[in-house]
């Protein structure tokens, strides 16, 4: 993870770098730093903690200089403190890095044997020393950087600055994204185009293995072999959408409330309301009719959206789905029939494990489809077909609106698949389209339950453990509820298939254990009631998220209910996601945690 920035400007760059880093804080926020060069002297300010600490330090002790680099960190090697914060220096070299250098131990030993002293515990510092050693051996800065880069194994996006050069930054990419921005007599680089949005929307993306020699007036890009290559300039769309919190206390609250609108936009992209059918599947490189199965790969919340989709594809379209978390999938060496369909679900489009899974599937001759929120991301660019989610920028680290937009896309794809495979007829498709189009209206109604959910959350703020249960599509929702709660409130929570309760987790139930049950009144509601009885008999405190019918049929005393309107089954995952997000949100607010930037997490996970 981590975010990196570099600017070769014609005005003081430290404030500009901090501005860009603010836009990258979603990638990590445990420490930050800026280095600039003036009069052949490299200087830096670094600070532990959020970017605001760095700003305070820079205000007290400003940095001048019209060329500089900056970094916001998510610690991998070495604790988050000032010494481990980037930029790292070695004699005449300053450097910022996003990624992990896997062979850093052997490089470190080699450099120590060569007389280099290490100030930090990071993997990054080896790169600075490697470049420095090549400079001392007489290479020019660009060649020194290239020679050092060739020694690196692992993932990196780098920006390197040199004492002797006030018009040069060398950048390199192997894994994590790197965008180069073109300005008027200025050049910029950043981990994404949004970081550079205040300066330019003309962007060149480096490809894997590329390294670039950037100067005010031009840039040269080389591939891993050292051959000069051309990479297109693109106009970045949407980078102006740097958002604020509006009247909301947190981005997460704002993003939860945006859901009726963004679910609506996303559905409208895939549904032809006039014809009452799923649109946009005619021009893609595959046909669901010809598929024997679909493989879905993703991480975290996006993986749970995929798990919901497994139920939909299998039930609605009679199409088997294999699904796995990307960190496992990428190493499983799954045998795959050529011309199958592999779907990747990702908000950021940069998740390292998901990207590695995609590349594996590409080698296996799969059609690659990506359900992705960031249209200019690496995963979007490497896919055959992009199915965009129209969630807009998601800033809160805990994913909310991206999740329900992913579900919206997947529901449409499952219905489209059912039609292509001849499982549903035109009238059934039209009926399902009408049902899907109701999702934004129901989502708006659920938002009105905020005060009641906030009240319930007050009680949860004092507990140590919580269990979430659900069946069918409510099982992945139970896992999503638990994930949301633990990541922002730090309360231990587990999501289980309700039927699995008696196979182990029931041992946890006593009077101190709240159990959140997600169960709209559907065909298997009665089965979930039996599980609730088992919880109640052992003193567990049930919070049931259901509808009127479910509430009236639960038949359990001492139960708390969050009652949603009755709605078609296909949209329940989209709509029931909201109360579980709200429950986690209000619990975290009562506990006083940093909701938008919870500890140890980052929004975009570009390391494995
Ligand atoms: C949880 C959350 C994460 C992400 C996961 C995948 O709230 O946001 O679990 O879902 O890191 O990220 P993307 O979707 O960017 O691939």
């Amino acid at each position: 993870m981590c975010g990196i920035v570099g600017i070769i400007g014609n005005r003081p760059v430290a404030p500009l770098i901090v501005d860009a880093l603010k836009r990258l804080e979603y990638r990590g926020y445990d420490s930050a730093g800026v280095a600039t060069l003036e009069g052949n002297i490299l200087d830096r300010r670094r600070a532990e903690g959020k970017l605001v600490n760095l700003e305070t330090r820079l205000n007290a002790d400003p940095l001048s200089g019209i060329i500089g680099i900056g970094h916001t960190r998510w610690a991998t090697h070495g604790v988050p403190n000032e010494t481990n914060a980037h930029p790292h220096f070695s004699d005449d070299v300053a450097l910022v890095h996003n990624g992990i250098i896997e062979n850093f131990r052997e490089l470190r030993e080699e450099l120590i044997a060569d007389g280099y002293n290490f100030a930090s515990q990071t993997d990054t510092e080896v790169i600075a020393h490697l470049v420095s050693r090549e400079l001392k051996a007489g290479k020019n800065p660009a060649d020194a950087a290239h020679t050092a880069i060739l020694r690196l194994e692992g993932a990196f996006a780098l920006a390197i600055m040199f004492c002797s050069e006030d018009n040069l930054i060398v950048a390199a990419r192997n894994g994590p994204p790197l965008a180069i921005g073109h300005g008027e007599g200025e050049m910029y680089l950043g981990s994404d185009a949004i970081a550079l949005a205040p300066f330019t929307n003309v962007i060149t993306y480096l490809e894997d293995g590329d390294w670039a020699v950037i100067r005010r007036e031009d840039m040269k890009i080389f591939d891993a072999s050292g051959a000069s290559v051309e990479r297109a300039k693109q106009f970045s769309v949407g980078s102006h959408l740097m958002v604020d919190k509006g009247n909301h206390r947190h981005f997460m609250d704002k993003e939860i409330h945006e859901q009726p609108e963004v679910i609506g936009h996303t559905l409208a992209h895939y549904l032809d309301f006039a014809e009452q059918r799923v649109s946009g599947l005619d021009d893609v490189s595959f046909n669901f009719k010809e598929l024997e199965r679909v493989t879905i790969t993703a991480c975290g919340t996006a993986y749970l959206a995929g798990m919901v989709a497994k139920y939909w594809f299998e039930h609605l379209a009679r199409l088997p789905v294999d699904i796995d978390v990307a960190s496992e999938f990428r190493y499983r060496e799954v045998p795959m029939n050529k011309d199958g369909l592999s779907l990747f679900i990702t908000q950021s489009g940069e998740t390292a494990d998901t990207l590695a899974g995609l590349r594996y599937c590409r080698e296996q001759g799969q059609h690659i489809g990506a359900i992705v929120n960031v249209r200019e991301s690496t995963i979007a660019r490497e896919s055959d077909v992009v199915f965009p989610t129209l969630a807009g920028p998601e800033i809160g680290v805990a994913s909310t609106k991206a999740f329900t937009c992913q579900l919206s896309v997947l529901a449409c794809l499952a219905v489209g698949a059912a039609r292509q495979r001849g499982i549903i007829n035109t009238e059934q498709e039209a009926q399902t389209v009408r049902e899907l189009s109701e999702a934004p209206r129901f989502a708006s109604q659920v938002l009105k339950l905020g005060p009641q959910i906030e009240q319930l959350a007050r009680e949860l703020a004092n507990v140590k453990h919580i269990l979430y249960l659900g069946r069918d599509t409510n099982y992945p929702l139970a896992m999503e509820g638990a994930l949301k709660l633990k990541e922002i409130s730090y309360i231990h929570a587990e999501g289980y298939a309700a039927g699995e309760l008696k196979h182990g987790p029931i041992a946890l139930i006593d009077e101190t254990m709240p159990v959140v049950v997600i169960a709209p009144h559907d065909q298997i509601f009665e089965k979930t009631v039996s599980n609730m009885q088992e919880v109640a008999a052992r003193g567990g405190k049930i919070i049931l998220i259901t509808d009127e019918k479910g509430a009236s049929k639960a038949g359990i005393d001492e139960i708390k209910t969050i009652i949603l309107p009755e709605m078609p089954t296909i949209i329940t995952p989209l709509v029931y996601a909201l109360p579980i997000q709200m429950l986690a949100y209000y619990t975290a607010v009562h506990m006083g945690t940093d909701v938008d930037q919870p500890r140890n997490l980052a929004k975009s996970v570009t390391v494995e």
Side-chain angles (χ1 to χ4, degrees), residues 12 20 42 72 146 149 157 176 192 200 274 311-312 383 387 421 434 554 574:
L42 284 168
T72 180
H146 181 223
I149 290 162
D192 68 24
T200 182
Y311 287 87
W312 281 332
S383 297
F387 299 106
R421 293 168 70 78
R434 285 195 292 275
L574 280 83

Side-chain angles (χ1 to χ4, degrees), residues 299-302 345-349 351 354 397-399 406 480 483-484 487 603 605:
C299 298
T301 289
I345 309 170
T346 170
Q347 188 284 126
S348 63
T351 302
T354 310
V397 162
S399 187
Q406 287 159 354
E480 172 62 2
L483 177 60
K484 234 39 349 144
E487 67 184 330
K603 185 82 185 147
V605 185

Side-chain angles (χ1 to χ4, degrees), residues 138-157:
K139 292 212 166 75
N140 69 45
D143 288 346
H146 181 223
T147 312
I149 290 162
L150 290 176
R151 297 287 317 276
L152 304 178
E153 288 167 20
F156 50 84

Side-chain angles (χ1 to χ4, degrees), residues 294-297 313 341-345 367 369-371 387 410 413:
V294 174
T295 305
I296 297 182
T297 308
F313 276 113
L341 173 64
S342 292
L343 288 179
F344 298 86
I345 309 170
H367 297 279
I371 293 148
F387 299 106
L410 289 160
L413 292 183

